[in-house]
Amino acid sequence: MIKHLPHNIGNLNNLEYFVCISNLLEGLPGDISRCQNLIGLYLSRNRIKSVPEQLIKCKELRELYLDYNELVTIPESFVRFCKLNIISLSGNKLLYLPHIPFISCPRMLIENNDYLTYIPYSVGCQQSVLTYSNQASWCAMSQPVVENTLNGIWSLRVQECGNESLSELPSNCISIRLSLSGKVLVMPRQLKRVYQNNNFAIPSLFELSLRNVYTRVWKEKMELSLKTPSNIQTHFSQLMCPIENNDTRLNQEELEQLLPKEVLVLLSRGPVAYCSNPACSSPIFHDAAVEIIPKDVQRRSWDEDEPELYKVYASRFYCSAYCRQTYFNNTSLQWERQLLNSALNFHILNVS
């Protein structure tokens, strides 16, 4: 029947495992971020509506169980957990997932999220490869499962996701409705402007400035490289942000003198995504060209010889529609052209 945790929980300097399953918690105090030795945090089956962004300061965290709560989103900063092995988000009310893969490559459990109507493409690829790698021993017993994974079909547990429709659209997020199915997809709240890849809109000056500062002079920049073995066709060949010369970076004091506080906050949180054009991979903060594509996912039980295939919606962001078009024009791979040609039309429902 525990409803609240004490705010001085951060005084438990030696705390490694904290278990508070099946209680009535509605949130966590930010002070928990001072538990620097925390390895496992188990908060399943509570009433938690949000998680403090400061939790990212728990650098030793390896297991995070938040399943069957009332989470609508998780902080984008969670992708920066450096030692996380598993994050369980099943049975919540998630509207979307972070669009940057977790740098520690944890296993992500997301089934039974009724309002989760789409999966970020790079995240789906990462999780599919992890699932295939971790279950290679039993996968070897079913040749169709192996063939599907090698041919780009995702292996994800997304059962019972996206089955319900929102009764009311969130006011702080942009939402889009797919023309063909009528499904509503809620975009990350950081995005203030989205457009289809066939709309050659120009990113705002503020967006271009953020990208330029983050790429050239921001001191603590996240470098992202996503590669897979050549025999596993995830349909996402590479996503890489090349490392700049650190000599050009400014220290924190210099940045505070040059940039407004609002800009510093945005840059410290990092981008919401990276451009899906592998030759570009520019950071994206507020403006994005959005591409929604259908993606095959395989479902298999122990007693089935042939895995069942079903489709999910996957999102890809580009720094501009022009960059997406350049990607399409330059690709010579058949699977990439098929992927890009499968993009769905949508309508923007509301603007933050």
Side-chain angles (χ1 to χ4, degrees), residues 255-267:
L255 289 169
E256 290 176 356
Q257 292 176 352
L258 292 174
L259 300 174
K261 184 177 180 180
E262 176 191 2
V263 174
L264 288 171
V265 171
L266 289 172
L267 293 172

Side-chain angles (χ1 to χ4, degrees), residues 288-304:
V290 176
E291 181 178 62
I292 306 298
I293 60 173
K295 194 75 174 76
D296 284 330
V297 176
Q298 61 186 11
R299 178 189 290 149
R300 178 186 182 273
S301 301
W302 284 96
D303 57 349
E304 293 177 337

Side-chain angles (χ1 to χ4, degrees), residues 160-293:
E160 305 303 323
C161 284
N163 289 336
E164 298 291 333
S165 299
L166 290 169
S167 58
E168 184 177 351
L169 297 178
S171 59
N172 62 339
C173 299
I174 298 176
S175 300
I176 64 175
R177 186 188 300 277
L178 299 180
S179 302
L180 186 62
S181 67
K183 282 281 188 179
V184 174
L185 283 60
V186 178
M187 297 289 100
R189 59 181 175 83
Q190 293 92 329
L191 288 179
K192 306 303 180 185
R193 179 169 172 254
V194 302
Y195 42 91
Q196 297 195 70
N197 54 49
N198 58 1
N199 178 358
F200 285 88
I202 300 174
S204 68
L205 181 60
F206 186 51
E207 172 70 16
L208 294 174
S209 299
L210 287 171
R211 295 176 188 175
N212 193 53
V213 172
Y214 187 79
T215 303
R216 294 181 180 276
V217 300
W218 187 246
K219 184 179 180 182
E220 297 178 355
K221 189 174 69 172
M222 181 179 180
E223 310 293 347
L224 178 64
S225 177
L226 177 64
K227 297 182 180 180
T228 57
S230 58
N231 63 329
I232 299 180
Q233 294 296 321
T234 64
H235 289 185
F236 200 95
S237 55
Q238 186 178 15
L239 174 63
M240 183 174 64
C241 295
I243 298 176
E244 301 284 341
N245 184 354
N246 286 331
D247 293 338
T248 64
R249 307 289 170 79
L250 301 180
N251 59 41
Q252 190 65 29
E253 183 177 344
E254 291 172 321
L255 289 169
E256 290 176 356
Q257 292 176 352
L258 292 174
L259 300 174
K261 184 177 180 180
E262 176 191 2
V263 174
L264 288 171
V265 171
L266 289 172
L267 293 172
S268 64
R269 289 176 179 171
V272 65
Y274 287 93
C275 181
S276 291
N277 179 355
C280 175
S281 297
S282 295
I284 296 171
F285 290 88
H286 280 332
D287 290 16
V290 176
E291 181 178 62
I292 306 298
I293 60 173

Side-chain angles (χ1 to χ4, degrees), residues 5-18 31-38:
L5 297 179
H7 287 280
N8 59 354
I9 190 173
N11 294 338
L12 300 175
N13 297 323
N14 296 321
L15 182 66
E16 293 184 350
Y17 297 93
F18 185 74
D31 204 51
I32 197 171
S33 64
R34 295 199 293 116
C35 298
Q36 294 296 302
N37 292 306
L38 192 63

Side-chain angles (χ1 to χ4, degrees), residues 50-67:
S50 63
V51 188
E53 194 166 344
Q54 300 96 304
L55 190 62
I56 189 62
K57 295 180 181 179
C58 298
K59 302 297 184 182
E60 298 299 319
L61 194 64
R62 289 169 171 80
E63 298 184 353
L64 179 57
Y65 283 80
L66 295 166
D67 44 299

Side-chain angles (χ1 to χ4, degrees), residues 35-54:
C35 298
Q36 294 296 302
N37 292 306
L38 192 63
I39 296 175
L41 185 57
Y42 309 92
L43 302 171
S44 306
R45 300 188 182 279
N46 279 276
R47 298 176 180 176
I48 298 173
K49 294 179 173 62
S50 63
V51 188
E53 194 166 344
Q54 300 96 304

Side-chain angles (χ1 to χ4, degrees), residues 296-333:
D296 284 330
V297 176
Q298 61 186 11
R299 178 189 290 149
R300 178 186 182 273
S301 301
W302 284 96
D303 57 349
E304 293 177 337
D305 293 328
E306 292 290 335
E308 176 190 356
L309 297 182
Y310 62 107
K311 290 189 180 297
V312 298
Y313 298 119
S315 59
R316 290 159 64 98
F317 292 169
Y318 296 86
C319 65
S320 68
Y322 176 80
C323 195
R324 191 268 184 191
Q325 188 62 38
T326 301
Y327 175 28
F328 179 83
N329 292 338
N330 291 340
T331 182
S332 59
L333 299 176

